[in-house]
Amino acid sequence: MELHQPPILDERWEGYELAADDTHRYVWIWQGYNIRLIAVPKNEDGAWAYDHGWCYPRDPQVVADSVAAWDPDTQDEPAGWHKRPTDPPRRAPRRAEDPQHNRDRCVHGCYVEAGCRTVNCRDALAHERSHGTGSR
């Protein structure tokens, strides 16, 4: 992945492109009370839609640091997000190389086997039911 220093202003998405790989551009945009990092396809679909998105606190440096630490070839998703507004989750092309990072996560970014910080998270509750681990 190629990181951009400084980030590139994206007038179409009204945000900043932090990085790009062979298939996507990674752009952050203001989204209500969050910053949303979006994976915009490099093909013609990228003019109108994005494939994946992750919500972060309203701190551009947190998002930039998360993207800088991320390896999209081996890691499904960047770290530090608190909501995934898109489905299905992104899958890295070589995800088997980093199984610890690529464990199942709930829509709030928590690893499901550890539970979720959000009360009544549907993904964490489903995991508890299927694995017979405690109740909330």
Side-chain angles (χ1 to χ4, degrees):
M1 176 166 62
E2 174 191 352
L3 293 173
H4 306 312
Q5 291 297 336
I8 300 169
L9 176 63
D10 184 310
E11 292 183 12
R12 161 65 182 96
W13 286 99
E14 297 180 5
Y16 290 91
E17 182 176 325
L18 298 174
D21 61 20
D22 292 340
T23 59
H24 290 87
R25 299 179 311 110
Y26 299 99
V27 178
W28 74 258
I29 58 176
W30 295 114
Q31 188 78 36
Y33 293 104
N34 300 293
I35 288 178
R36 184 167 294 174
L37 175 64
I38 57 176
V40 179
K42 283 188 168 179
N43 61 25
E44 60 277 352
D45 293 339
W48 306 108
Y50 54 90
D51 289 340
H52 304 286
W54 304 274
C55 294
Y56 286 84
R58 286 180 68 92
D59 185 339
Q61 191 59 54
V62 168
V63 181
D65 292 345
S66 178
V67 170
W70 180 38
D71 179 359
D73 289 331
T74 62
Q75 298 174 339
D76 292 341
E77 302 175 294
W81 53 272
H82 61 253
K83 181 180 175 189
R84 181 193 314 118
T86 54
D87 199 47
R90 182 187 181 277
R91 294 296 181 239
R94 298 190 337 258
R95 70 189 309 261
E97 294 177 26
D98 194 350
Q100 184 64 16
H101 184 91
N102 296 323
R103 296 171 289 151
D104 289 337
R105 296 181 193 230
C106 72
V107 296
H108 306 106
C110 301
Y111 290 111
V112 293
E113 77 274 2
C116 181
R117 65 184 169 269
T118 301
V119 176
N120 294 326
C121 169
R122 70 172 192 257
D123 299 325
L125 292 172
H127 182 269
E128 287 175 5
R129 281 193 299 276
S130 68
H131 290 80
T133 57
S135 62
R136 293 181 173 234

